[in-house]
Amino acid sequence: MENLIGLLVVAPLLGAALLLCGGRRLDKSGHWIGTLLAAASFVIGVVLFADMLGRDGEQRALHTTVFSWVPVGGFQADVGFQLDQLSMTFVLLITGVGTLIHLYSVGYMEHDEKKRRFFGYLNLFLAAMLLLVVADNYLLLYVGWEGVGLASYLLIGFWQHKPSAATAAKKAFIVNRVGDVGLSIAIMLMFTTFGTFAFGPVLESAGDAGEGKLTAVALLLLLAACGKSAQVPLQSWLGDAMEGPTPVSALIHAATMVTAGVYLITRSGSIFNGAPDAQLAVVTVGAVTLLFGAIVGCAKDDIKKALAGSTMSQIGYMILAAGLGPIGYVFAIMHLVTHGFFKAGLFLGAGSVMHGMNDEVDMRRYGGLRKYMPVTFVTFGLGYLAIIGFPGLSGFFSKDKIIEAAFAKGGTEGWILGGAALLGAAITAYYMTRVMIMTFFGEKRWQPDAEGNAPHPHESPRTMTIPMVVLAFGSVFAGGLFSVNDAFLKWLEPVTGHSHGNSPVSALTVTAATVVVLVVGVALAWFQYGRRPVPATAPRGSLLTRAARRDLLQDDFNHVVLVRGGEHLTRSLVYVDHSLVDGVVNGTAASVGGLSGRIAKLQNGYARSYAVSMFGGAAVLIVATLLMRAV
């Protein structure tokens, strides 16, 4: 079975190679080749999962070393794979949801002339993401990490003829590089501290390292997680990334890539457990981001950008849970999986709406679409109910567990974190109800475009609706299945560990509170948007609303602090270079040149001048000698 682990990565990597290097001869069949190879990787994952279930909990991890990658003296880096319960969870999510999104893309990208290249990029992303989660050491994980960043750049900027898409791709790439610097330095510190990159030795020896070193490594890992998972302060790229095709948003920016930071923190749990200050930083980032993203989602009229704010917020929940340590690791991953179902379904539903509305993204130009797109309405609606935590659906089980874990942290910190999580749940119910009402309810509000073409909303083809239906089933049932006899907790506990903490409130009280805030959020949105006509143009709104429309001024902050700050720093350095460095160099050169010019005048080529000079010199020497003797 160990040999099959490598095939998980090889199958989509082969697809990427074929589609990107095979030329136009594969234009007609490339999309099916990419989809079949993604499905092949999923089948391999299911086979490995079935084999893993047949083993005892402590014996389920598989490990294989393919070859010695960099053997140089004491520096040893191997290409090795590790498959345990944590990585298997990601494998099934990446390949399962990835295959569904490949199938959806067959219909969505049907008329795109470059769809073969698009599917090649999708396969490349799957291969990189799988390498990231099955690597048995941090250095190989870093290869997958960078591969995911490359694939994301290529997919966000796929429609590079649009300046906004090209700019968004560059922005995502640059912001992620900031986080990647943190990961690269963390890996270097690991090697100098532990003498290896391998997960096993590093995590087993973490308790022997000093708290200062663990804190430094953990904070650098958090920086990396903030970049990939769009967490404060490196969150600015996610909203702009919606310029890519909608399947990209569903696969990369909802279900898989943005969860890589959660995987990194959870996988490195032993390091964070020994660094309480770093754990405090993690929960702070998570709590701030879950509120930040939720507030941004409230003010967006672009359906994809509203869902992007939602993604940022839900990943914030996962980061918060991961920062709680053994109390929250399992629930961070549980919410990650359920979120993968309902958020991917929501993005695909948004793409279906766009498909039937001539690529219109402004929800103020939708309205009443449930009559025209019944399958999209039902599947999107189930995803909506799941994400707001409607009792019995997936989000209810996973998000409630995170809120319980936040309170279980205990003390003032527990009350603050639990309160933030509850407030985030209320805001989530509000903005998602807003999206639902503006899109599917009320009177139709669409108008002809500038060229006089009016949308004719219609249901999407089966290649698009079938994946949406499957994801809707996951949105409804996954959380409940995971919670039966604490199945998911028992599955992951051998890898992540688990602690119940000491909650000041009962689970029943937390559930009641979440239901109450859910009802309040839904009611407020219905009162504001369901009972009133939706204006064609967004009203000016409050100062907070205007700030939220501008992503809470995150780009303005980056421009003032980083861009303007960088410009001022550059000008200062240029001034120093011109005034001081160039002044010294040019002054020295001018002095030497001037002296040389004056000396050169003495060399005029006339014998009489040289004779006079010799006579003068001799006279000086005679006078000096006589003076010395007289003294």
Side-chain angles (χ1 to χ4, degrees):
M1 284 296 171
E2 289 84 352
N3 295 330
L4 289 180
I5 303 175
L7 292 180
L8 286 169
V9 181
V10 169
L13 189 61
L14 175 62
L18 288 173
L19 297 178
L20 297 177
C21 302
R24 295 182 178 179
R25 70 192 75 178
L26 297 178
D27 281 353
K28 294 183 178 180
S29 59
H31 50 291
W32 289 114
I33 293 174
T35 303
L36 289 173
L37 285 170
S41 189
F42 174 66
V43 170
I44 295 169
V46 170
V47 171
L48 288 166
F49 176 62
D51 176 73
M52 187 175 286
L53 288 177
R55 303 169 184 264
D56 294 333
E58 301 295 336
Q59 304 296 324
R60 284 175 170 169
L62 298 175
H63 183 272
T64 181
T65 300
V66 182
F67 61 90
S68 183
W69 179 16
V70 187
V72 180
F75 184 92
Q76 182 71 30
D78 296 329
V79 172
F81 300 133
Q82 172 180 299
L83 194 66
D84 56 16
Q85 292 93 316
L86 178 60
S87 51
M88 175 56 75
T89 301
F90 276 83
V91 164
L92 294 177
L93 176 67
I94 294 164
T95 58
V97 174
T99 299
L100 292 173
I101 292 173
H102 273 71
L103 180 61
Y104 176 94
S105 301
V106 171
Y108 191 87
M109 303 293 289
E110 180 180 5
H111 302 296
D112 196 295
E113 296 179 354
K114 299 178 180 179
K115 62 183 177 181
R116 170 181 58 82
R117 180 158 59 92
F118 178 78
F119 278 84
Y121 292 160
L122 285 183
N123 272 196
L124 178 63
F125 171 81
L126 283 189
M129 191 69 197
L130 287 167
L131 178 62
L132 190 159
V133 298
V134 300
D136 74 343
N137 63 83
Y138 284 97
L139 194 60
L140 189 60
L141 176 149
Y142 185 77
V143 176
W145 191 273
E146 290 300 318
V148 165
L150 171 63
S152 176
Y153 167 77
L154 295 172
L155 286 165
I156 294 171
F158 181 74
W159 288 327
Q160 57 189 344
H161 60 276
K162 297 166 54 179
S164 56
T167 300
K170 289 186 288 186
K171 183 177 182 180
F173 191 82
I174 292 170
V175 174
N176 272 271
R177 295 292 72 72
V178 177
D180 295 353
V181 169
L183 181 56
S184 63
I185 297 175
I187 294 173
M188 297 175 197
L189 283 177
M190 287 178 194
F191 185 78
T192 58
T193 303
F194 304 106
T196 180
F197 307 108
F199 291 149
V202 169
L203 300 179
E204 290 170 6
S205 304
D208 300 329
E211 184 177 322
K213 287 185 177 180
L214 291 181
T215 301
V217 172
L219 289 176
L220 289 166
L221 293 177
L222 172 61
L223 179 63
C226 287
K228 274 289 182 289
S229 296
Q231 299 293 285
V232 172
L234 300 179
Q235 80 287 7
S236 62
W237 64 271
L238 186 60
D240 291 351
M242 298 303 108
E243 290 291 339
T246 301
V248 176
S249 303
L251 177 63
I252 294 181
H253 308 127
T256 54
M257 187 191 91
V258 291
T259 62
V262 184
Y263 171 80
L264 181 65
I265 294 174
T266 305
R267 174 62 74 188
S268 308
S270 297
I271 295 174
F272 284 89
N273 293 342
D277 291 340
Q279 283 188 321
L280 177 61
V282 175
V283 295
T284 302
V285 166
V288 170
T289 307
L290 75 86
L291 295 175
F292 188 105
I295 293 171
V296 168
C298 291
K300 294 296 185 182
D301 293 330
D302 184 318
I303 187 171
K304 288 177 65 178
K305 290 192 175 182
L307 294 178
S310 173
T311 296
M312 191 187 304
S313 178
Q314 297 303 307
I315 301 295
Y317 273 101
M318 301 171 207
I319 294 292
L320 186 154
L324 296 172
I327 302 175
Y329 288 140
V330 171
F331 304 129
I333 303 301
M334 182 176 173
H335 192 55
L336 184 152
V337 176
T338 60
H339 176 266
F341 284 115
F342 56 69
K343 183 53 66 66
L346 288 169
F347 266 113
L348 295 189
S352 180
V353 170
M354 293 167 58
H355 184 267
M357 292 292 290
N358 294 347
D359 290 328
E360 177 62 67
V361 296
D362 189 344
M363 294 185 292
R364 294 185 180 276
R365 298 182 181 179
Y366 292 164
L369 291 180
R370 69 185 189 280
K371 302 175 184 178
Y372 304 91
M373 311 177 76
V375 177
T376 300
F377 167 65
V378 172
T379 55
F380 192 98
L382 291 173
Y384 152 73
L385 293 174
I387 194 173
I388 68 173
F390 190 84
L393 275 68
S394 291
F396 169 78
F397 292 100
S398 59
K399 190 157 60 177
D400 272 25
K401 290 294 186 182
I402 293 178
I403 298 173
E404 290 176 25
F407 280 110
K409 182 68 173 176
T412 304
E413 185 180 344
W415 283 106
I416 293 174
L417 296 175
L422 274 176
L423 179 59
I427 302 175
T428 300
Y430 170 80
Y431 71 73
M432 284 306 305
T433 303
R434 174 180 180 269
V435 170
M436 195 72 189
I437 292 172
M438 292 180 69
T439 303
F440 294 102
F441 292 90
E443 298 298 325
K444 64 180 184 180
R445 300 184 298 276
W446 56 85
Q447 300 292 332
D449 58 22
E451 299 177 357
N453 300 318
H456 298 284
H458 56 277
E459 191 57 88
S460 299
R462 289 185 179 180
T463 52
M464 295 172 65
T465 57
I466 289 175
M468 291 158 56
V469 170
V470 175
L471 291 170
F473 270 95
S475 302
V476 174
F477 298 111
L481 291 175
F482 292 163
S483 299
V484 174
N485 295 324
D486 291 327
F488 198 79
L489 191 155
K490 294 175 182 176
W491 165 257
L492 276 185
E493 188 174 7
V495 179
T496 62
H498 182 65
S499 171
H500 292 286
N502 185 23
S503 178
V505 295
S506 66
L508 183 60
T509 302
V510 172
T511 299
T514 55
V515 172
V516 169
V517 300
L518 181 155
V519 172
V520 170
V522 170
L524 182 60
W526 175 256
F527 178 79
Q528 189 171 355
Y529 294 95
R531 298 183 59 187
R532 304 176 182 178
V534 176
T537 304
R540 180 175 174 80
S542 65
L543 180 62
L544 178 61
T545 300
R546 297 197 300 272
R549 288 178 186 148
R550 294 171 62 89
D551 299 327
L552 291 180
L553 308 181
Q554 55 184 322
D555 284 332
D556 301 83
F557 176 83
N558 289 342
H559 184 76
V560 171
V561 175
L562 301 178
V563 177
R564 290 278 181 85
E567 289 175 351
H568 289 312
L569 177 61
T570 301
R571 291 193 186 103
S572 300
L573 293 174
V574 169
Y575 176 79
V576 171
D577 181 59
H578 287 172
S579 302
L580 182 61
V581 178
D582 286 356
V584 172
V585 173
N586 295 336
T588 303
S591 300
V592 173
L595 180 62
S596 299
R598 288 175 174 79
I599 294 175
K601 292 180 180 179
L602 299 176
Q603 306 294 322
N604 54 21
Y606 293 110
R608 60 181 178 273
S609 297
Y610 298 154
V612 171
S613 298
M614 293 171 66
F615 176 78
V620 169
L621 288 175
I622 291 170
V623 171
T625 302
L626 293 173
L627 289 174
M628 290 178 66
R629 286 184 176 181
V631 174

